[in-house]
Amino acid sequence: MKRILYSLIIAAIVVFTAGIAFGCSEAVQGPAGPQGPQGEQGVQGPIGEQGSNGADGDDGKDYWEDNPQGLAFYPLDDGSFAVGIGYAKYLSAIEIPAEFHGRSVTRIAEYGFSDAKNLMSVKIPHTVTLFEDGAFMNCTKLNRLIYGDHAEAVHLFLLNGTPVFDGNVEFGKDVFENTAFMSVTVTDSSDNDTLVDCVVKNIPQEVTSVQFKAALNQSTDFVFTDMLPLDGSKEAALKVDFGTYGIFRNVSVEVYSGSDVWNGTKLTDSISVTAEEYNIGLLNGSYPVLVYSLKLNEITKQSTVPTFIALERCDAYNWSALTNGMQPMPFATRYDATANKGFHHLRPGIKSWISDLFSADSRSKFNLFVVDNYPELILEFLVANHIPEEQWNVVLLSDGAGTAHLVNSTFSEENGQAKFEEMSEDWSAVKDYVWKNGYRVEAVREIIRYGENSYFQILQRYACVIAHEQTNAQWWVNRLNVNDNLSDANQNNPALVQQIIGDSIQLNTNTLLKALDEEQKTAFKELYHFSDDMFSVAQEQQKKVMVILGASAAGEGDTLYDYVRLTMDLYGDDYIYYYKGHPGHPTANVPVRQAAFLRLQEEGYSLYELDSAIAAEIILFYNPDIYMSGWSSSTFDSVEDQLMACSLFGCTIADKTMFSYGDMIDVYISRLNAGAGDYSGITLDVSRQYYLLEYNNTAQYQNQTDNYSKHEIALFDSTEGKIHYYKLSSSSVYQEVQADGSAL
């Protein structure tokens, strides 16, 4: 009985198959499945459907002879065909012809082969140049594709859902969604690190690793290469470290079998690496960089907030020892970000990069740190990029000296309060303009009533206004004091000056340095190129250290040789002398200074040069027993023992009130004008160059008083190379004496 039943079943199958083979109209119902490609190249219905004629008008006979797989072909307006599954839905392997009835097959129809559960392999001719949406969607066993003239299957894989293989074709959406082809999916988790999640599925047995390469743009050297090994599993969840943040528009992925590339390098449009919050610092000067560095733990929230930095004096940092998750600006090459070129050339790139970060995640927050003479960066980077105010904060930094000058010159008149209110209106107006029209220097200059002509410092007088008006702004200042550096403005506007001081947060570098623990101190010293052996010569010879503070190239002019030689002659062999240059003017860039050093060396003076990039305040903090001389510098304020503030160059005793540390100085040295003739009754040779030495007679500093009792003044004859000491006689006439005050 079973044998008869089997025979009947087989007979029925043979009859059904024969009906298909010979095109019996009763048996053919037309291919069920796609309804044809959509779009302007319309469809006339697939050839072979019930009631339609074959291509040659013979009731479909040629259709079946030319198409034994039973595929569906859809005529397109350009005379070619799109192809779909038709009656082939149960086949495991399908070969699509390049032509059908003399017409090219150029497309895989929209959802043309979707849900073909048995399909494992498909061969597609090179004439096919478009895979429409969902063409092979849900073909869960499909893992083999032979394309064009290839004899073997191409190594197709999916990168973030986009097919990747060699072939000049265009893909619609979800073409191979839910198939058995290898897929690589990369997504950013936005959790304040540079790792992105990578999920690899349907891994072929021969595939052993996946390698990623990426860069923010073609010029950056933040190109990373990350080879991720696979363990033979069919699926792997991995982490790819992109190294920095932004939109990576060119990401290459290589799939390896051992040491051989299983699939060539391919590109995906973009992968975004984002964070919830960013710190961006563009800093100049010594104090702002120093304070920023000392507060990094707070700024970075214990290294959890990505932090980017650009310095105007790039040598201030050891860029290979950045701490607390800091990076140079990542869109630029490391040379552009760290060479002594400043940061202004990076500004267009920074603006564009911030725009990318915000477009990648519009919820991100931005913290901008800038020196208070560049407030226009707020407009350029934040307002112009349409970042809402609740999503940005700004910290303005200043050592106080330049800021005090600007406050005094702006608000010393009687109408200071009215001017402040006008400036507040200006700030509101310029923000509104930039939000609507973008940042344009000339337009900003027209709006600001109290602006500057400088291209980079248009708004430098507005720091105090911004600190007062912006609830999302802080103003970190070293010192602003009514009795010290704000006395001019305070005369006519005491209430306004108190408001300005109250809007600032005054931070002392020594206090911040003392707060560092040992681990932080070690990291900080490395960041600042600091060496505990910098004074080894003095230690070996058991002598005191005298550091001579340099100035800008213009400030030193041609006087460096004379000032240094005079100081060394004045203080003698009890010291080892070191020169600490201005960070913005390294000796390599100052030929006049190089010549002065060479001349001193040839004449037997031993002068050791310190790294100019190291902030003098740091040197003094870690070596509190240092004696200091040199040009005017706020570093003198950091001298804990007043006896260690020695000679001040380019300053007379009458001008000492210009400086907060003026009373601490031992000797004031100033250059007398060439051809000065007599000085206070002392006959001078007009053909020679002289320097005046005036001794501090401030009673509270005993060493200055002792010197003054020996000789009130001295003259250094730089032509002769000798110091002459003078003391007032009872008749108020200067008489030359010995250095100890005894008569000649």
Side-chain angles (χ1 to χ4, degrees), residues 86-376:
Y87 289 104
K89 68 173 64 178
Y90 299 110
L91 298 180
S92 62
I94 290 175
E95 181 175 348
I96 296 171
E99 292 185 354
F100 182 65
H101 283 249
R103 302 181 191 180
S104 294
V105 179
T106 60
R107 297 190 191 184
I108 307 298
E110 184 176 6
Y111 301 100
F113 291 83
S114 62
D115 297 302
K117 304 298 184 184
N118 292 334
L119 185 60
M120 300 173 64
S121 174
V122 61
K123 185 173 183 179
I124 299 175
H126 65 85
T127 56
V128 173
T129 57
L130 174 61
F131 290 64
E132 294 194 346
D133 292 353
F136 291 96
M137 178 183 281
N138 295 327
C139 296
T140 55
K141 295 182 181 179
L142 179 61
N143 66 357
R144 178 179 171 84
L145 186 147
I146 301 172
Y147 180 77
D149 298 329
H150 293 276
E152 299 293 332
V154 297
H155 290 157
L156 179 144
F157 74 99
L158 308 179
L159 179 56
N160 280 11
T162 301
V164 176
F165 80 103
D166 292 328
N168 185 25
V169 295
E170 182 180 350
F171 293 99
K173 298 177 182 178
D174 303 322
V175 172
F176 294 102
E177 178 71 16
N178 197 26
T179 63
F181 286 111
M182 179 179 174
S183 69
V184 180
T185 304
V186 182
T187 55
D188 176 31
S189 57
S190 299
D191 57 356
N192 282 23
D193 61 33
T194 57
L195 299 174
V196 298
D197 295 319
C198 174
V199 178
V200 188
K201 295 183 178 180
N202 302 321
I203 304 171
Q205 186 176 4
E206 64 269 30
V207 171
T208 57
S209 59
V210 178
Q211 178 174 267
F212 286 81
K213 294 180 181 178
L216 260 69
N217 57 33
Q218 294 180 351
S219 65
T220 183
D221 56 6
F222 265 89
V223 178
F224 80 90
T225 300
D226 202 359
M227 179 75 79
L228 306 174
L230 303 171
D231 62 4
S233 303
K234 292 293 291 181
E235 184 172 326
L238 308 168
K239 294 284 188 181
V240 187
D241 189 353
F242 275 70
T244 192
Y245 296 83
I247 299 178
F248 291 83
R249 291 185 174 84
N250 294 307
V251 182
S252 65
V253 180
E254 289 180 332
V255 180
Y256 280 80
S257 176
S259 60
D260 298 324
V261 176
W262 181 79
N263 196 306
T265 301
K266 298 297 174 183
L267 301 179
T268 186
D269 288 340
S270 67
I271 291 177
S272 298
V273 184
T274 60
E276 297 174 357
E277 188 175 0
Y278 304 93
N279 294 321
I280 299 168
L282 285 86
L283 300 172
N284 52 292
S286 297
Y287 173 85
V289 178
L290 180 55
V291 170
Y292 179 87
S293 307
L294 290 169
K295 290 179 71 68
L296 274 175
N297 204 42
E298 174 186 327
I299 290 170
T300 65
K301 297 180 181 177
Q302 289 73 46
S303 303
T304 61
V305 178
T307 300
F308 301 89
I309 186 74
L311 302 181
E312 203 166 59
R313 301 171 185 169
C314 298
D315 283 347
Y317 274 174
N318 174 5
W319 292 95
S320 63
L322 295 182
T323 60
N324 296 81
M326 280 200 301
Q327 297 181 29
M329 294 297 169
F331 61 87
T333 65
R334 183 167 285 262
Y335 174 78
D336 281 336
T338 61
N340 267 324
K341 299 167 64 176
F343 57 69
H344 291 295
H345 68 291
L346 300 176
R347 285 168 61 163
I350 295 172
K351 179 182 182 296
S352 177
W353 172 63
I354 292 174
S355 177
D356 277 353
L357 293 174
F358 186 60
S359 65
D361 188 345
S362 61
R363 301 165 299 175
S364 295
K365 296 182 179 180
F366 298 84
N367 305 313
L368 180 64
F369 296 81
V370 296
V371 177
D372 67 355
N373 58 334
Y374 295 136
E376 67 270 16

Side-chain angles (χ1 to χ4, degrees), residues 318 516 520-532 618 622:
N318 174 5
L516 298 179
Q520 293 170 331
K521 188 182 299 182
T522 299
F524 178 79
K525 285 183 175 182
E526 188 174 3
L527 175 64
Y528 264 88
H529 314 272
F530 192 88
S531 170
D532 290 324
I618 304 174
Y622 288 114

Side-chain angles (χ1 to χ4, degrees), residues 532-682:
D532 290 324
D533 298 327
M534 64 176 64
F535 299 117
S536 58
V537 175
Q539 293 166 355
E540 291 170 2
Q541 297 186 27
Q542 297 183 342
K543 291 186 176 182
K544 293 179 287 188
V545 172
M546 172 82 77
V547 173
I548 298 174
L549 299 173
S552 66
E556 292 178 353
D558 61 352
T559 63
L560 175 66
Y561 166 80
D562 286 333
Y563 275 126
V564 172
R565 180 178 60 157
L566 168 55
T567 299
M568 296 174 77
D569 287 346
L570 184 64
Y571 289 95
D573 292 336
D574 290 341
Y575 300 85
I576 298 295
Y577 296 89
Y578 296 83
Y579 172 85
K580 163 64 178 67
H582 188 287
H585 299 266
T587 299
N589 299 337
V590 187
V592 174
R593 187 188 303 156
Q594 297 173 29
F597 286 170
L598 179 61
R599 183 178 175 186
L600 288 166
Q601 181 181 0
E602 290 173 346
E603 294 177 3
Y605 291 92
S606 296
L607 180 67
Y608 300 88
E609 185 170 9
L610 301 173
D611 187 342
S612 65
I614 304 174
E617 291 88 347
I618 304 174
I619 298 174
L620 195 60
F621 177 81
Y622 288 114
N623 299 273
D625 54 349
I626 287 177
Y627 293 77
M628 284 206 168
S629 293
W631 279 271
S632 60
S633 169
S634 58
T635 305
F636 282 108
D637 277 317
S638 299
V639 176
E640 293 186 0
D641 189 336
Q642 68 275 8
L643 301 182
M644 295 180 175
C646 299
S647 57
L648 180 62
F649 302 165
C651 180
T652 65
I653 196 168
D655 293 332
K656 71 176 183 177
T657 55
M658 295 173 55
F659 307 107
S660 56
Y661 49 84
D663 282 341
M664 296 167 57
I665 299 299
D666 182 15
V667 183
Y668 306 91
I669 307 176
S670 58
R671 189 179 189 180
L672 294 177
N673 293 330
D678 289 353
Y679 176 80
S680 296
I682 303 171

